[in-house]
């Protein structure tokens, strides 16, 4: 699995998404986690082995999709400045940082906060999460990277692309493209596919 993360302490603690280090799988209605055996962090051009400090099967790590890693034998680094969700407002500028797709250098995308919501966790409807909705482009591999609030220059969220609602909407659009009445409207298929 590939993803991003960021330093949260000068002695090498890294925050990322749980699904970056452990892939969830449902087997016969039971949630199981396929844990990565070789976890490493790429920092300043050097690949360092990392130890997973959180338990990927912990219900809280699954529900809130977070993992904490520890890298050793590194010079002290300046950790990311952590902000608060309460400082963020719709219309604020944000930056999404990460290493998407096959990029080997940091990719930063700019966006505007659309809304602040509380929504159900991806894996457990009993847990609600504060969520920043933004139009900043997030690709596969951005997961775990920081979402930086520009006005305060601080991390206010962790990037994640996995959202069941979006997947359901895409499936509905794909199914609608198969309907004859939709296909009969010139240009409509192109607009929906775009």
């Amino acid at each position: 699995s590939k993803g991003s993360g960021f330093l949260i302490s000068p002695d090498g603690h890294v925050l990322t998404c749980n699904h970056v280090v452990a892939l969830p799988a449902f087997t016969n209605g039971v949630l199981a986690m396929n844990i990565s055996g070789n976890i490493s962090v790429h920092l300043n051009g050097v690949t360092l082995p990392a130890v997973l400090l959180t338990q990927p099967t912990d219900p809280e790590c699954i529900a809130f999709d977070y993992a904490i890693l520890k890298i050793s034998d590194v010079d002290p680094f300046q950790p990311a400045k952590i902000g608060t969700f309460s400082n963020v407002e719709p219309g604020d500028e944000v930056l999404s940082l990460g290493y998407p797709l096959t990029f080997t250098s940091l990719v930063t995308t700019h966006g505007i906060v659309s809304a602040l919501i509380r929504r159900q966790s991806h894996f457990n409807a009993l847990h609600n999460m504060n969520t920043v909705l933004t139009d900043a482009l997030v690709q596969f591999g951005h997961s775990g990277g920081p979402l930086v609030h520009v006005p305060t220059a601080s991390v206010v969220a962790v990037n994640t692309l996995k959202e069941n609602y979006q997947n359901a909407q895409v499936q509905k659009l794909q199914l609608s493209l198969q309907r004859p009445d939709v296909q009969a409207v010139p240009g409509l298929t192109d607009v929906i596919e775009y």
Side-chain angles (χ1 to χ4, degrees):
S1 184
K2 180 181 183 295
S4 301
F6 55 98
L7 285 166
I8 57 172
S9 74
D11 59 342
H13 290 91
V14 176
L15 179 65
T16 188
C17 287
N18 195 49
H19 76 264
V20 169
V21 296
L23 297 174
F26 285 98
T27 306
N28 297 327
V30 176
L31 178 65
M33 301 300 285
N34 298 322
I35 302 168
S36 301
N38 184 15
I39 300 172
S40 60
V41 172
H42 192 73
L43 182 66
N44 288 348
V46 178
T47 301
L48 303 165
V51 175
L52 182 59
L53 297 182
T54 51
Q55 196 56 250
T57 56
D58 180 325
E60 189 173 280
C61 292
I62 295 169
F64 296 110
D65 195 17
Y66 75 89
I68 298 176
L69 310 175
K70 175 77 167 77
I71 51 177
S72 301
D73 301 326
V74 295
D75 295 329
F77 282 93
Q78 180 67 36
K81 178 182 170 189
I82 307 299
T84 61
F85 188 76
S86 61
N87 288 342
V88 183
E89 295 183 15
D92 286 352
E93 292 181 81
V94 290
L95 300 173
S96 173
L97 283 69
Y99 292 85
L101 307 171
T102 58
F103 287 89
T104 56
S105 58
L106 182 66
V107 174
T108 303
T109 60
H110 175 264
I112 302 297
V113 174
S114 306
L116 305 167
I117 64 170
R118 284 194 53 80
R119 65 171 177 85
Q120 292 178 343
S121 162
H122 299 300
F123 295 105
N124 188 333
L126 299 176
H127 293 85
N128 288 318
M129 304 171 62
N130 289 331
T131 303
V132 178
L133 300 180
T134 178
D135 62 349
L137 182 64
V138 176
Q139 297 286 347
F140 174 80
H142 257 123
S143 287
L147 184 70
V148 177
H149 183 239
V150 173
T152 60
S154 62
V155 177
V156 293
V158 178
N159 295 325
T160 184
L161 184 62
K162 186 178 175 79
E163 176 54 65
N164 293 334
Y165 175 77
Q166 290 173 345
N167 293 340
Q169 293 301 98
V170 168
Q171 288 174 355
K172 285 181 185 177
L173 284 173
Q174 289 172 341
L175 287 173
S176 71
L177 289 175
Q178 298 171 9
R179 292 184 11 214
D181 58 324
V182 171
Q183 292 177 349
V185 178
L188 187 57
T189 302
D190 293 335
V191 170
I192 292 174
E193 284 181 347
Y194 177 76

